[in-house]
Amino acid sequence: MIRLNHRFAMGVFTCLCVSGAWATESGADSYPLGAEGVQAGALPPPGVYLLGYYQHYHASRFVDKHGKSMIPGFGINVDAFVPRLVWMTDQQVLGGQLGFYAAQPLVDLRVGMAGARDDRRAMGDTIAASLLAWHNGNHHWVAALETVLPTGDYDKDHLANAGKNYFTLRPIIAYSYSRPDGWDLSTKLSYSFNSNNDDTDYRSGQYFAGDYSVGYHVAPKLTLALQGYAVKQLTSDRVDGDDIGFRGQVFAYGPGIHYQGQGWSLEAKYLRETAVENRPQGDATWLKLVLAF
C-alpha cells in the first residue's frame, strides 16, 4: 500500500476545464465540475457562440474513503481559462437541433505535497462534441456525445500535468425548466469511459458526474440560485490490469448569480465540497461569459 500511495501521489495532478472529477488516476479527471448552472439545458437558436469559463480551485487536503487526510503536506491551486466555441446549425435530426462545440483549457497549476512542489502553465486536453437540442415551451433538453483528446502537456515524471494522456468518451444529457418570471431548474448529467494511460498502465474507473442549479428570476434579467455538482465513481481504478479498489466521490453546493444581457450573459458561483472520498477536498469559484455573434 505504501508503494501504491507513492505511485498515486507522484502522478498528481492534471486539471482539465477546471477542477475535474478528481476521482481516478491522481484523483483527477476531465469533467468540468460546476461549469454549468442556470439554463444548462436551454441551448440557443442557430448561430455561433463563444463561451469563456474561468475557475479558481483550491484544496489543502487529499482525503481517503473515510474522509481522513491521505497525503501529507498536500496543497493545490488551479486557475483555468477555458474558451468554448459552440455552433448551433439550422439542421434537424430526430426532431432536435444539431450543434457542435469544442473547448481548449488553458491551465495554471501549482501543486505541493510532502515537501515537493511543482507548477505548470500549459494547455490541457482538447474537448470536442456533437449534440442535439429540443425545446417545448418552458422545457428544454440536450443530448451530446463528448470526446476528450489527450492533446495536453503531460510527463509522467512531473508532479503537475495539464493533460492526462488518455481518451475519455462521455455521453451527456441536460435539462432545464425555465420560466422568465419564475423558477429555473437545470441539470447536466454525464457518464465517463476512460482509456488506458499507456505511460503508467493505469486505467481510471468509470464515473457519473452532474451539475445542478435551482434558481429563481428575482428580476427580468437577474437569477439567484443554489448550485453545485456531484460525482460518484462506479468502477474502480486498475493498475497493470489489477483492481486497486480506488473510487472517488464528492458533493458540492453554494450560491450562484446569473445576469442575462442583450446578446450576452454572465454567471458567477462559489462552491464548497463535502462528502468527499479519495480526492482533494476544497472549494471552487466560477465565472462564465456567453457571447453571441
Side-chain angles (χ1 to χ4, degrees):
M1 181 60 70
I2 293 175
R3 182 188 65 84
L4 179 59
N5 284 346
H6 177 74
R7 179 174 180 176
F8 174 84
M10 291 308 294
V12 175
F13 266 103
T14 66
C15 174
L16 168 25
C17 250
V18 282
S19 68
W22 298 106
T24 42
E25 183 175 6
S26 303
D29 212 288
S30 59
Y31 183 84
L33 291 174
E36 304 304 333
V38 173
Q39 297 184 357
L43 283 235
V48 178
Y49 302 84
L50 177 64
L51 286 69
Y53 299 83
Y54 166 77
Q55 186 220 32
H56 174 75
Y57 179 83
H58 168 76
S60 57
R61 300 177 71 226
F62 194 111
V63 302
D64 62 15
K65 64 180 180 180
H66 304 295
K68 296 181 180 180
S69 182
M70 180 178 175
I71 301 176
F74 175 82
I76 181 169
N77 285 280
V78 180
D79 289 285
F81 174 67
V82 187
R84 183 170 75 159
L85 193 64
V86 179
W87 175 34
M88 298 302 298
T89 75
D90 56 5
Q91 300 297 313
Q92 297 286 312
V93 177
L94 300 176
Q97 179 187 357
L98 178 64
F100 305 91
Y101 66 81
Q104 179 57 66
L106 307 172
V107 180
D108 183 357
L109 174 62
R110 300 168 300 285
V111 179
M113 63 178 69
R117 294 186 179 279
D118 194 11
D119 62 84
R120 193 77 52 208
R121 291 183 178 180
M123 295 175 61
D125 294 335
T126 303
I127 300 174
S130 58
L131 62 89
L132 292 174
W134 296 269
H135 310 275
N136 184 9
N138 296 322
H139 300 274
H140 311 274
W141 300 267
V142 177
L145 185 61
E146 184 175 276
T147 303
V148 183
L149 307 172
T151 59
D153 180 74
Y154 177 84
D155 186 325
K156 68 177 182 178
D157 296 322
H158 287 168
L159 192 63
N161 281 296
K164 289 178 302 304
N165 200 45
Y166 58 83
F167 291 89
T168 298
L169 183 66
R170 179 177 296 132
I172 296 171
I173 59 172
Y175 169 77
S176 288
Y177 171 79
S178 185
R179 294 179 57 92
D181 58 348
W183 292 98
D184 181 279
L185 308 177
S186 296
T187 187
K188 175 186 174 183
L189 306 174
S190 72
Y191 194 82
S192 295
F193 302 88
N194 300 306
S195 70
N196 201 62
N197 183 341
D198 292 334
D199 285 2
T200 60
D201 203 17
Y202 195 113
R203 181 180 289 270
S204 298
Q206 302 170 18
Y207 65 92
F208 162 86
D211 300 337
Y212 67 89
S213 175
V214 180
Y216 191 81
H217 297 281
V218 297
K221 297 183 178 181
L222 185 65
T223 304
L224 300 181
L226 171 67
Q227 299 185 338
Y229 54 81
V231 171
K232 184 68 175 180
Q233 189 172 340
L234 300 182
T235 67
S236 297
D237 294 356
R238 305 182 72 88
V239 178
D240 300 327
D242 297 326
D243 188 327
I244 63 173
F246 188 85
R247 303 188 186 191
Q249 72 170 42
V250 63
F251 178 81
Y253 63 93
I257 184 170
H258 178 276
Y259 183 84
Q260 181 65 56
Q262 185 66 37
W264 63 276
S265 68
L266 182 65
E267 186 169 356
K269 67 189 76 175
Y270 172 75
L271 308 175
R272 292 187 62 85
E273 295 181 328
T274 186
V276 180
E277 295 182 7
N278 293 326
R279 54 152 282 153
Q281 181 174 7
D283 51 60
T285 303
W286 276 94
L287 290 175
K288 175 186 174 183
L289 175 66
V290 180
L291 297 173
F293 292 100

